[in-house]
Amino acid sequence: MLQFVREIPISIVIEAAPSQRRGFLFHLAAGFSKDVDPLSGMTVNLMAVDQWLSDLKVNLEKAAFISFAEVMAVARLTLLERANKEAATLQSLSFREERGWAFSWNSEDSEDVLNFSYAHYLESFPKNEKFDLLKVVFHWRRLQNGEEDFQHEGFKLLKELSLKESVDLHESLHDCVGHRLASGSFLQKVEILHLGAGYSVSVP
């Protein structure tokens, strides 16, 4: 079984209401897998896969969507149909926005699940240590109909933690994992990147 990922840039318009129209520039990455033909040594024709993505790009860019869940649903169903005709499997889809956040789906998830990630930055002044800049990445698991502003939810969690020292911050963020919102969506994982020191910590 050979797995591969192809990527294209794509512009998406979200229009939840006539007065709420926003545009986003994403890098769409689609992961596929297929058994290798023992006679030819070939799998899916990559030029054909690139054409799938090109056609999807045209269709997505000429439409306006009401949510990122709708964008993912259209992309997933379109590529599933193309992949099935080639006896291939769609393994993953990821939309990474130019401003740093992303939402994704993989084949282990149900069709109603999306994973969102948002990065936040904190200045750290540990005792007896030099200043460091921390990049805190929240990984949210969105369940069906959960359309919260996950970036804002991350800001709320960090608001009371911003003055903590690094060790205390790690412990506090560990306690935040599993934080559940009204829709049932929850904080799945937190990554803490110490940008100045060159190491990272993932919790849990």
Side-chain angles (χ1 to χ4, degrees):
M1 183 75 71
L2 180 65
Q3 297 191 27
F4 57 94
V5 176
R6 306 297 278 180
E7 182 173 308
I8 58 168
I10 189 167
S11 302
I12 298 291
V13 174
I14 299 293
E15 193 169 16
S19 60
Q20 297 177 343
R21 182 180 176 90
R22 291 198 64 191
F24 301 88
L25 179 59
F26 289 103
H27 292 277
L28 166 60
F32 299 89
S33 65
K34 185 181 179 182
D35 290 332
V36 177
D37 186 326
L39 297 179
S40 66
M42 299 292 290
T43 180
V44 177
N45 184 324
L46 295 183
M47 292 182 63
V49 175
D50 289 341
Q51 187 61 53
W52 300 352
L53 296 181
S54 179
D55 293 343
L56 176 63
K57 175 184 173 75
V58 171
N59 290 334
L60 292 182
E61 289 188 341
K62 69 182 181 182
F65 298 90
I66 62 171
S67 69
F68 297 118
E70 184 185 16
V71 174
M72 180 62 79
V74 172
R76 184 179 63 248
L77 290 174
T78 300
L79 294 178
L80 278 172
E81 181 180 359
R82 294 292 188 94
N84 287 340
K85 290 181 179 178
E86 294 290 335
T89 301
L90 177 63
Q91 295 286 357
S92 62
L93 278 174
S94 174
F95 288 80
R96 177 175 52 83
E97 220 274 335
E98 280 287 357
R99 283 161 282 201
W101 61 276
F103 67 99
S104 62
W105 168 88
N106 67 70
S107 58
E108 297 178 356
D109 293 329
S110 72
E111 63 182 24
D112 297 322
V113 170
L114 286 182
N115 300 297
F116 283 80
S117 64
Y118 284 92
H120 308 267
Y121 293 85
L122 293 177
E123 297 176 357
S124 174
F125 295 91
K127 288 182 179 178
N128 303 319
E129 294 184 27
K130 63 181 181 180
F131 158 80
D132 197 2
L133 180 64
L134 307 184
K135 180 180 179 180
V136 181
V137 184
F138 284 132
H139 294 268
W140 295 94
R141 194 164 180 82
R142 173 208 172 273
L143 302 186
Q144 186 176 15
N145 300 321
E147 294 296 342
E148 294 93 347
D149 183 342
F150 293 107
Q151 185 176 33
H152 180 65
E153 293 295 334
F155 279 127
K156 289 197 298 184
L157 289 176
L158 285 176
K159 186 175 181 180
E160 297 180 359
L161 306 179
S162 60
L163 298 179
K164 288 182 178 288
E165 297 171 3
S166 294
V167 175
D168 294 333
L169 177 64
H170 290 184
E171 294 176 353
S172 298
L173 286 172
H174 185 279
D175 294 339
C176 288
V177 173
H179 175 74
R180 193 168 292 271
L181 305 176
S183 66
S185 301
F186 62 94
L187 182 60
Q188 187 175 31
K189 183 176 71 171
V190 180
E191 293 177 275
I192 309 164
L193 291 81
H194 292 253
L195 301 177
Y199 71 93
S200 62
V201 177
S202 180
V203 292

mmCIF file of all heavy atoms in Angstrom, residues 6 8 10 28-32 48-57 59-60 71-95 105:
data_model
loop_
_atom_site.group_PDB
_atom_site.id
_atom_site.type_symbol
_atom_site.label_atom_id
_atom_site.label_comp_id
_atom_site.label_asym_id
_atom_site.label_seq_id
_atom_site.Cartn_x
_atom_site.Cartn_y
_atom_site.Cartn_z
ATOM 1 N N ARG A 6 -0.879 15.225 -2.081
ATOM 2 C CA ARG A 6 -0.773 16.270 -3.093
ATOM 3 C C ARG A 6 -1.381 17.552 -2.527
ATOM 4 O O ARG A 6 -2.358 17.502 -1.773
ATOM 5 C CB ARG A 6 -1.498 15.878 -4.379
ATOM 6 C CG ARG A 6 -1.076 14.536 -4.944
ATOM 7 C CD ARG A 6 0.382 14.513 -5.357
ATOM 8 N NE ARG A 6 0.584 15.085 -6.682
ATOM 9 C CZ ARG A 6 1.771 15.170 -7.269
ATOM 10 N NH1 ARG A 6 2.859 14.770 -6.613
ATOM 11 N NH2 ARG A 6 1.884 15.673 -8.484
ATOM 12 N N ILE A 8 -2.468 21.899 -3.137
ATOM 13 C CA ILE A 8 -2.723 23.037 -4.020
ATOM 14 C C ILE A 8 -3.169 24.229 -3.185
ATOM 15 O O ILE A 8 -3.742 24.062 -2.110
ATOM 16 C CB ILE A 8 -3.817 22.735 -5.068
ATOM 17 C CG1 ILE A 8 -5.133 22.338 -4.374
ATOM 18 C CG2 ILE A 8 -3.377 21.681 -6.064
ATOM 19 C CD1 ILE A 8 -6.320 22.312 -5.312
ATOM 20 N N ILE A 10 -5.766 27.345 -2.537
ATOM 21 C CA ILE A 10 -7.191 27.490 -2.848
ATOM 22 C C ILE A 10 -7.790 28.632 -2.048
ATOM 23 O O ILE A 10 -7.446 28.832 -0.883
ATOM 24 C CB ILE A 10 -7.934 26.160 -2.576
ATOM 25 C CG1 ILE A 10 -9.372 26.205 -3.091
ATOM 26 C CG2 ILE A 10 -7.882 25.787 -1.108
ATOM 27 C CD1 ILE A 10 -10.020 24.830 -3.134
ATOM 28 N N LEU A 28 -4.572 23.361 0.453
ATOM 29 C CA LEU A 28 -5.322 22.122 0.603
ATOM 30 C C LEU A 28 -4.395 20.944 0.331
ATOM 31 O O LEU A 28 -3.820 20.831 -0.758
ATOM 32 C CB LEU A 28 -6.505 22.092 -0.369
ATOM 33 C CG LEU A 28 -7.200 20.743 -0.574
ATOM 34 C CD1 LEU A 28 -7.773 20.217 0.736
ATOM 35 C CD2 LEU A 28 -8.281 20.858 -1.634
ATOM 36 N N ALA A 29 -4.243 20.070 1.327
ATOM 37 C CA ALA A 29 -3.423 18.873 1.172
ATOM 38 C C ALA A 29 -4.327 17.648 1.272
ATOM 39 O O ALA A 29 -5.060 17.503 2.250
ATOM 40 C CB ALA A 29 -2.335 18.820 2.240
ATOM 41 N N ALA A 30 -4.279 16.794 0.264
ATOM 42 C CA ALA A 30 -5.097 15.587 0.228
ATOM 43 C C ALA A 30 -4.191 14.365 0.228
ATOM 44 O O ALA A 30 -3.282 14.260 -0.604
ATOM 45 C CB ALA A 30 -5.988 15.581 -1.014
ATOM 46 N N GLY A 31 -4.452 13.448 1.176
ATOM 47 C CA GLY A 31 -3.656 12.236 1.270
ATOM 48 C C GLY A 31 -4.426 11.034 0.748
ATOM 49 O O GLY A 31 -5.598 10.836 1.092
ATOM 50 N N PHE A 32 -3.792 10.229 -0.078
ATOM 51 C CA PHE A 32 -4.415 9.048 -0.675
ATOM 52 C C PHE A 32 -3.538 7.827 -0.449
ATOM 53 O O PHE A 32 -2.341 7.935 -0.179
ATOM 54 C CB PHE A 32 -4.596 9.227 -2.189
ATOM 55 C CG PHE A 32 -5.466 10.376 -2.593
ATOM 56 C CD1 PHE A 32 -4.924 11.635 -2.797
ATOM 57 C CD2 PHE A 32 -6.826 10.198 -2.773
ATOM 58 C CE1 PHE A 32 -5.719 12.702 -3.182
ATOM 59 C CE2 PHE A 32 -7.635 11.261 -3.158
ATOM 60 C CZ PHE A 32 -7.081 12.507 -3.362
ATOM 61 N N ALA A 48 -3.428 12.460 -12.834
ATOM 62 C CA ALA A 48 -4.886 12.377 -12.684
ATOM 63 C C ALA A 48 -5.312 12.953 -11.343
ATOM 64 O O ALA A 48 -6.313 13.679 -11.246
ATOM 65 C CB ALA A 48 -5.343 10.921 -12.810
ATOM 66 N N VAL A 49 -4.547 12.642 -10.282
ATOM 67 C CA VAL A 49 -4.862 13.176 -8.952
ATOM 68 C C VAL A 49 -4.772 14.701 -8.964
ATOM 69 O O VAL A 49 -5.628 15.390 -8.392
ATOM 70 C CB VAL A 49 -3.918 12.590 -7.887
ATOM 71 C CG1 VAL A 49 -4.162 13.248 -6.537
ATOM 72 C CG2 VAL A 49 -4.124 11.078 -7.782
ATOM 73 N N ASP A 50 -3.751 15.228 -9.609
ATOM 74 C CA ASP A 50 -3.616 16.689 -9.710
ATOM 75 C C ASP A 50 -4.812 17.293 -10.443
ATOM 76 O O ASP A 50 -5.252 18.404 -10.112
ATOM 77 C CB ASP A 50 -2.318 17.057 -10.423
ATOM 78 C CG ASP A 50 -1.086 16.774 -9.569
ATOM 79 O OD1 ASP A 50 -1.232 16.641 -8.333
ATOM 80 O OD2 ASP A 50 0.020 16.680 -10.132
ATOM 81 N N GLN A 51 -5.349 16.569 -11.413
ATOM 82 C CA GLN A 51 -6.529 17.059 -12.124
ATOM 83 C C GLN A 51 -7.754 17.026 -11.221
ATOM 84 O O GLN A 51 -8.595 17.930 -11.278
ATOM 85 C CB GLN A 51 -6.783 16.225 -13.378
ATOM 86 C CG GLN A 51 -7.893 16.766 -14.264
ATOM 87 C CD GLN A 51 -7.581 18.157 -14.773
ATOM 88 O OE1 GLN A 51 -6.528 18.398 -15.351
ATOM 89 N NE2 GLN A 51 -8.518 19.101 -14.566
ATOM 90 N N TRP A 52 -7.865 15.995 -10.350
ATOM 91 C CA TRP A 52 -8.958 15.953 -9.376
ATOM 92 C C TRP A 52 -8.943 17.223 -8.533
ATOM 93 O O TRP A 52 -9.975 17.859 -8.308
ATOM 94 C CB TRP A 52 -8.817 14.763 -8.437
ATOM 95 C CG TRP A 52 -8.815 13.415 -9.063
ATOM 96 C CD1 TRP A 52 -9.081 13.090 -10.373
ATOM 97 C CD2 TRP A 52 -8.519 12.185 -8.395
ATOM 98 N NE1 TRP A 52 -8.968 11.745 -10.548
ATOM 99 C CE2 TRP A 52 -8.631 11.149 -9.365
ATOM 100 C CE3 TRP A 52 -8.188 11.844 -7.086
ATOM 101 C CZ2 TRP A 52 -8.392 9.818 -9.049
ATOM 102 C CZ3 TRP A 52 -7.957 10.510 -6.766
ATOM 103 C CH2 TRP A 52 -8.057 9.510 -7.735
ATOM 104 N N LEU A 53 -7.747 17.551 -8.038
ATOM 105 C CA LEU A 53 -7.626 18.711 -7.156
ATOM 106 C C LEU A 53 -7.871 20.011 -7.910
ATOM 107 O O LEU A 53 -8.463 20.954 -7.379
ATOM 108 C CB LEU A 53 -6.245 18.734 -6.498
ATOM 109 C CG LEU A 53 -5.929 17.570 -5.559
ATOM 110 C CD1 LEU A 53 -4.538 17.733 -4.953
ATOM 111 C CD2 LEU A 53 -6.967 17.464 -4.451
ATOM 112 N N SER A 54 -7.425 20.065 -9.156
ATOM 113 C CA SER A 54 -7.660 21.254 -9.972
ATOM 114 C C SER A 54 -9.150 21.465 -10.204
ATOM 115 O O SER A 54 -9.654 22.596 -10.110
ATOM 116 C CB SER A 54 -6.922 21.112 -11.308
ATOM 117 O OG SER A 54 -7.157 22.234 -12.134
ATOM 118 N N ASP A 55 -9.871 20.387 -10.498
ATOM 119 C CA ASP A 55 -11.324 20.486 -10.703
ATOM 120 C C ASP A 55 -12.020 20.895 -9.400
ATOM 121 O O ASP A 55 -12.967 21.711 -9.413
ATOM 122 C CB ASP A 55 -11.882 19.148 -11.179
ATOM 123 C CG ASP A 55 -11.404 18.767 -12.573
ATOM 124 O OD1 ASP A 55 -10.908 19.655 -13.291
ATOM 125 O OD2 ASP A 55 -11.511 17.575 -12.922
ATOM 126 N N LEU A 56 -11.565 20.318 -8.278
ATOM 127 C CA LEU A 56 -12.142 20.671 -6.978
ATOM 128 C C LEU A 56 -11.908 22.147 -6.679
ATOM 129 O O LEU A 56 -12.812 22.845 -6.190
ATOM 130 C CB LEU A 56 -11.523 19.806 -5.881
ATOM 131 C CG LEU A 56 -11.959 20.121 -4.452
ATOM 132 C CD1 LEU A 56 -13.461 19.874 -4.264
ATOM 133 C CD2 LEU A 56 -11.159 19.293 -3.443
ATOM 134 N N LYS A 57 -10.718 22.633 -6.972
ATOM 135 C CA LYS A 57 -10.382 24.046 -6.748
ATOM 136 C C LYS A 57 -11.343 24.964 -7.489
ATOM 137 O O LYS A 57 -11.872 25.930 -6.928
ATOM 138 C CB LYS A 57 -8.938 24.302 -7.213
ATOM 139 C CG LYS A 57 -8.477 25.752 -7.166
ATOM 140 C CD LYS A 57 -7.072 25.863 -7.744
ATOM 141 C CE LYS A 57 -6.631 27.303 -7.887
ATOM 142 N NZ LYS A 57 -6.279 27.906 -6.575
ATOM 143 N N ASN A 59 -14.399 24.314 -8.498
ATOM 144 C CA ASN A 59 -15.747 24.227 -7.923
ATOM 145 C C ASN A 59 -15.841 24.951 -6.582
ATOM 146 O O ASN A 59 -16.842 25.631 -6.300
ATOM 147 C CB ASN A 59 -16.144 22.758 -7.751
ATOM 148 C CG ASN A 59 -16.382 22.068 -9.072
ATOM 149 O OD1 ASN A 59 -16.721 22.712 -10.062
ATOM 150 N ND2 ASN A 59 -16.181 20.760 -9.106
ATOM 151 N N LEU A 60 -14.828 24.817 -5.749
ATOM 152 C CA LEU A 60 -14.868 25.468 -4.437
ATOM 153 C C LEU A 60 -14.718 26.982 -4.537
ATOM 154 O O LEU A 60 -15.340 27.724 -3.775
ATOM 155 C CB LEU A 60 -13.764 24.906 -3.533
ATOM 156 C CG LEU A 60 -13.897 23.445 -3.080
ATOM 157 C CD1 LEU A 60 -12.734 23.072 -2.154
ATOM 158 C CD2 LEU A 60 -15.228 23.192 -2.383
ATOM 159 N N VAL A 71 -17.453 23.266 3.656
ATOM 160 C CA VAL A 71 -16.298 23.186 2.749
ATOM 161 C C VAL A 71 -15.694 21.789 2.785
ATOM 162 O O VAL A 71 -15.437 21.168 1.744
ATOM 163 C CB VAL A 71 -15.227 24.232 3.136
ATOM 164 C CG1 VAL A 71 -13.967 24.040 2.284
ATOM 165 C CG2 VAL A 71 -15.762 25.643 2.975
ATOM 166 N N MET A 72 -15.460 21.285 4.001
ATOM 167 C CA MET A 72 -14.851 19.966 4.144
ATOM 168 C C MET A 72 -15.756 18.874 3.569
ATOM 169 O O MET A 72 -15.276 17.941 2.917
ATOM 170 C CB MET A 72 -14.555 19.684 5.615
ATOM 171 C CG MET A 72 -13.907 18.333 5.871
ATOM 172 S SD MET A 72 -12.289 18.146 5.067
ATOM 173 C CE MET A 72 -11.260 19.065 6.228
ATOM 174 N N ALA A 73 -17.060 18.983 3.813
ATOM 175 C CA ALA A 73 -17.992 17.968 3.315
ATOM 176 C C ALA A 73 -17.957 17.889 1.791
ATOM 177 O O ALA A 73 -17.912 16.797 1.217
ATOM 178 C CB ALA A 73 -19.404 18.265 3.804
ATOM 179 N N VAL A 74 -17.974 19.032 1.125
ATOM 180 C CA VAL A 74 -17.939 19.059 -0.341
ATOM 181 C C VAL A 74 -16.621 18.492 -0.851
ATOM 182 O O VAL A 74 -16.591 17.666 -1.774
ATOM 183 C CB VAL A 74 -18.152 20.495 -0.862
ATOM 184 C CG1 VAL A 74 -17.913 20.554 -2.370
ATOM 185 C CG2 VAL A 74 -19.551 20.982 -0.528
ATOM 186 N N ALA A 75 -15.510 18.922 -0.251
ATOM 187 C CA ALA A 75 -14.199 18.441 -0.688
ATOM 188 C C ALA A 75 -14.068 16.941 -0.476
ATOM 189 O O ALA A 75 -13.589 16.207 -1.353
ATOM 190 C CB ALA A 75 -13.097 19.186 0.066
ATOM 191 N N ARG A 76 -14.496 16.468 0.688
ATOM 192 C CA ARG A 76 -14.353 15.043 1.008
ATOM 193 C C ARG A 76 -15.195 14.181 0.064
ATOM 194 O O ARG A 76 -14.705 13.187 -0.491
ATOM 195 C CB ARG A 76 -14.762 14.797 2.456
ATOM 196 C CG ARG A 76 -14.553 13.343 2.902
ATOM 197 C CD ARG A 76 -14.939 13.117 4.346
ATOM 198 N NE ARG A 76 -16.357 13.372 4.576
ATOM 199 C CZ ARG A 76 -16.824 14.383 5.293
ATOM 200 N NH1 ARG A 76 -16.002 15.226 5.878
ATOM 201 N NH2 ARG A 76 -18.124 14.548 5.447
ATOM 202 N N LEU A 77 -16.457 14.549 -0.137
ATOM 203 C CA LEU A 77 -17.333 13.740 -0.989
ATOM 204 C C LEU A 77 -16.843 13.734 -2.438
ATOM 205 O O LEU A 77 -16.900 12.699 -3.123
ATOM 206 C CB LEU A 77 -18.769 14.270 -0.910
ATOM 207 C CG LEU A 77 -19.484 14.045 0.424
ATOM 208 C CD1 LEU A 77 -20.836 14.729 0.425
ATOM 209 C CD2 LEU A 77 -19.641 12.555 0.715
ATOM 210 N N THR A 78 -16.360 14.872 -2.907
ATOM 211 C CA THR A 78 -15.858 14.955 -4.281
ATOM 212 C C THR A 78 -14.647 14.059 -4.483
ATOM 213 O O THR A 78 -14.575 13.283 -5.455
ATOM 214 C CB THR A 78 -15.481 16.408 -4.624
ATOM 215 O OG1 THR A 78 -16.631 17.248 -4.499
ATOM 216 C CG2 THR A 78 -14.936 16.505 -6.043
ATOM 217 N N LEU A 79 -13.700 14.131 -3.558
ATOM 218 C CA LEU A 79 -12.475 13.337 -3.710
ATOM 219 C C LEU A 79 -12.707 11.857 -3.407
ATOM 220 O O LEU A 79 -12.040 10.996 -3.989
ATOM 221 C CB LEU A 79 -11.375 13.913 -2.824
ATOM 222 C CG LEU A 79 -10.899 15.307 -3.231
ATOM 223 C CD1 LEU A 79 -9.831 15.822 -2.262
ATOM 224 C CD2 LEU A 79 -10.342 15.299 -4.659
ATOM 225 N N LEU A 80 -13.645 11.557 -2.512
ATOM 226 C CA LEU A 80 -13.994 10.157 -2.267
ATOM 227 C C LEU A 80 -14.532 9.510 -3.535
ATOM 228 O O LEU A 80 -14.189 8.372 -3.873
ATOM 229 C CB LEU A 80 -15.029 10.054 -1.150
ATOM 230 C CG LEU A 80 -14.527 10.101 0.290
ATOM 231 C CD1 LEU A 80 -15.702 10.173 1.259
ATOM 232 C CD2 LEU A 80 -13.659 8.885 0.611
ATOM 233 N N GLU A 81 -15.388 10.241 -4.238
ATOM 234 C CA GLU A 81 -15.971 9.713 -5.470
ATOM 235 C C GLU A 81 -14.891 9.452 -6.514
ATOM 236 O O GLU A 81 -14.878 8.394 -7.165
ATOM 237 C CB GLU A 81 -17.005 10.697 -6.011
ATOM 238 C CG GLU A 81 -17.692 10.226 -7.277
ATOM 239 C CD GLU A 81 -18.716 11.213 -7.794
ATOM 240 O OE1 GLU A 81 -18.903 12.260 -7.150
ATOM 241 O OE2 GLU A 81 -19.324 10.942 -8.849
ATOM 242 N N ARG A 82 -13.970 10.410 -6.677
ATOM 243 C CA ARG A 82 -12.883 10.241 -7.642
ATOM 244 C C ARG A 82 -11.977 9.075 -7.244
ATOM 245 O O ARG A 82 -11.576 8.264 -8.088
ATOM 246 C CB ARG A 82 -12.073 11.531 -7.728
ATOM 247 C CG ARG A 82 -12.820 12.721 -8.307
ATOM 248 C CD ARG A 82 -13.116 12.527 -9.790
ATOM 249 N NE ARG A 82 -13.670 13.712 -10.406
ATOM 250 C CZ ARG A 82 -12.954 14.634 -11.042
ATOM 251 N NH1 ARG A 82 -11.645 14.496 -11.148
ATOM 252 N NH2 ARG A 82 -13.538 15.688 -11.577
ATOM 253 N N ALA A 83 -11.629 9.009 -5.955
ATOM 254 C CA ALA A 83 -10.722 7.961 -5.485
ATOM 255 C C ALA A 83 -11.343 6.580 -5.637
ATOM 256 O O ALA A 83 -10.666 5.623 -6.044
ATOM 257 C CB ALA A 83 -10.336 8.222 -4.031
ATOM 258 N N ASN A 84 -12.626 6.453 -5.324
ATOM 259 C CA ASN A 84 -13.301 5.156 -5.421
ATOM 260 C C ASN A 84 -13.270 4.607 -6.843
ATOM 261 O O ASN A 84 -13.143 3.395 -7.051
ATOM 262 C CB ASN A 84 -14.741 5.268 -4.928
ATOM 263 C CG ASN A 84 -14.825 5.416 -3.419
ATOM 264 O OD1 ASN A 84 -13.891 5.073 -2.696
ATOM 265 N ND2 ASN A 84 -15.943 5.946 -2.947
ATOM 266 N N LYS A 85 -13.390 5.479 -7.819
ATOM 267 C CA LYS A 85 -13.351 5.037 -9.208
ATOM 268 C C LYS A 85 -11.995 4.469 -9.592
ATOM 269 O O LYS A 85 -11.878 3.686 -10.538
ATOM 270 C CB LYS A 85 -13.717 6.199 -10.137
ATOM 271 C CG LYS A 85 -15.182 6.612 -10.053
ATOM 272 C CD LYS A 85 -15.485 7.753 -11.005
ATOM 273 C CE LYS A 85 -16.959 8.161 -10.932
ATOM 274 N NZ LYS A 85 -17.262 9.292 -11.823
ATOM 275 N N GLU A 86 -10.946 4.880 -8.855
ATOM 276 C CA GLU A 86 -9.593 4.397 -9.119
ATOM 277 C C GLU A 86 -9.155 3.341 -8.106
ATOM 278 O O GLU A 86 -7.971 2.995 -8.036
ATOM 279 C CB GLU A 86 -8.608 5.574 -9.081
ATOM 280 C CG GLU A 86 -8.801 6.588 -10.195
ATOM 281 C CD GLU A 86 -8.403 6.029 -11.550
ATOM 282 O OE1 GLU A 86 -7.567 5.105 -11.581
ATOM 283 O OE2 GLU A 86 -8.930 6.507 -12.569
ATOM 284 N N ALA A 87 -10.123 2.837 -7.300
ATOM 285 C CA ALA A 87 -9.821 1.850 -6.259
ATOM 286 C C ALA A 87 -8.755 2.371 -5.285
ATOM 287 O O ALA A 87 -7.945 1.607 -4.764
ATOM 288 C CB ALA A 87 -9.368 0.525 -6.877
ATOM 289 N N ALA A 88 -8.766 3.690 -5.067
ATOM 290 C CA ALA A 88 -7.853 4.318 -4.108
ATOM 291 C C ALA A 88 -8.633 4.718 -2.860
ATOM 292 O O ALA A 88 -9.868 4.710 -2.855
ATOM 293 C CB ALA A 88 -7.174 5.536 -4.730
ATOM 294 N N THR A 89 -7.916 5.070 -1.803
ATOM 295 C CA THR A 89 -8.542 5.467 -0.541
ATOM 296 C C THR A 89 -8.131 6.887 -0.179
ATOM 297 O O THR A 89 -6.941 7.223 -0.208
ATOM 298 C CB THR A 89 -8.110 4.528 0.609
ATOM 299 O OG1 THR A 89 -8.493 3.190 0.285
ATOM 300 C CG2 THR A 89 -8.767 4.926 1.923
ATOM 301 N N LEU A 90 -9.118 7.712 0.125
ATOM 302 C CA LEU A 90 -8.832 9.056 0.627
ATOM 303 C C LEU A 90 -8.511 8.940 2.110
ATOM 304 O O LEU A 90 -9.362 8.567 2.912
ATOM 305 C CB LEU A 90 -10.038 9.971 0.415
ATOM 306 C CG LEU A 90 -9.905 11.402 0.953
ATOM 307 C CD1 LEU A 90 -8.781 12.153 0.235
ATOM 308 C CD2 LEU A 90 -11.226 12.153 0.822
ATOM 309 N N GLN A 91 -7.268 9.247 2.489
ATOM 310 C CA GLN A 91 -6.817 9.077 3.863
ATOM 311 C C GLN A 91 -6.972 10.327 4.709
ATOM 312 O O GLN A 91 -7.259 10.244 5.908
ATOM 313 C CB GLN A 91 -5.334 8.647 3.887
ATOM 314 C CG GLN A 91 -5.062 7.287 3.268
ATOM 315 C CD GLN A 91 -5.530 6.147 4.150
ATOM 316 O OE1 GLN A 91 -6.012 6.364 5.259
ATOM 317 N NE2 GLN A 91 -5.374 4.928 3.684
ATOM 318 N N SER A 92 -6.780 11.505 4.109
ATOM 319 C CA SER A 92 -6.802 12.730 4.914
ATOM 320 C C SER A 92 -7.042 13.946 4.038
ATOM 321 O O SER A 92 -6.755 13.934 2.833
ATOM 322 C CB SER A 92 -5.483 12.901 5.667
ATOM 323 O OG SER A 92 -4.404 13.027 4.748
ATOM 324 N N LEU A 93 -7.574 14.983 4.665
ATOM 325 C CA LEU A 93 -7.733 16.293 4.033
ATOM 326 C C LEU A 93 -7.350 17.355 5.055
ATOM 327 O O LEU A 93 -7.790 17.295 6.202
ATOM 328 C CB LEU A 93 -9.181 16.516 3.582
ATOM 329 C CG LEU A 93 -9.618 15.907 2.254
ATOM 330 C CD1 LEU A 93 -11.115 16.110 2.063
ATOM 331 C CD2 LEU A 93 -8.843 16.527 1.102
ATOM 332 N N SER A 94 -6.554 18.316 4.612
ATOM 333 C CA SER A 94 -6.137 19.394 5.506
ATOM 334 C C SER A 94 -6.196 20.722 4.780
ATOM 335 O O SER A 94 -5.691 20.842 3.658
ATOM 336 C CB SER A 94 -4.708 19.140 6.009
ATOM 337 O OG SER A 94 -4.235 20.238 6.763
ATOM 338 N N PHE A 95 -6.836 21.712 5.412
ATOM 339 C CA PHE A 95 -6.879 23.083 4.909
ATOM 340 C C PHE A 95 -6.045 23.948 5.859
ATOM 341 O O PHE A 95 -6.456 24.200 6.992
ATOM 342 C CB PHE A 95 -8.316 23.610 4.867
ATOM 343 C CG PHE A 95 -9.176 23.000 3.794
ATOM 344 C CD1 PHE A 95 -9.762 21.752 3.960
ATOM 345 C CD2 PHE A 95 -9.413 23.684 2.607
ATOM 346 C CE1 PHE A 95 -10.572 21.192 2.976
ATOM 347 C CE2 PHE A 95 -10.227 23.139 1.612
ATOM 348 C CZ PHE A 95 -10.804 21.882 1.800
ATOM 349 N N TRP A 105 -9.389 16.641 8.460
ATOM 350 C CA TRP A 105 -10.155 15.411 8.657
ATOM 351 C C TRP A 105 -9.271 14.254 8.227
ATOM 352 O O TRP A 105 -8.433 14.402 7.324
ATOM 353 C CB TRP A 105 -11.425 15.437 7.800
ATOM 354 C CG TRP A 105 -12.147 14.116 7.712
ATOM 355 C CD1 TRP A 105 -13.100 13.636 8.560
ATOM 356 C CD2 TRP A 105 -11.961 13.105 6.718
ATOM 357 N NE1 TRP A 105 -13.514 12.391 8.164
ATOM 358 C CE2 TRP A 105 -12.821 12.041 7.024
ATOM 359 C CE3 TRP A 105 -11.122 12.994 5.591
ATOM 360 C CZ2 TRP A 105 -12.888 10.887 6.247
ATOM 361 C CZ3 TRP A 105 -11.184 11.846 4.824
ATOM 362 C CH2 TRP A 105 -12.073 10.821 5.156
#
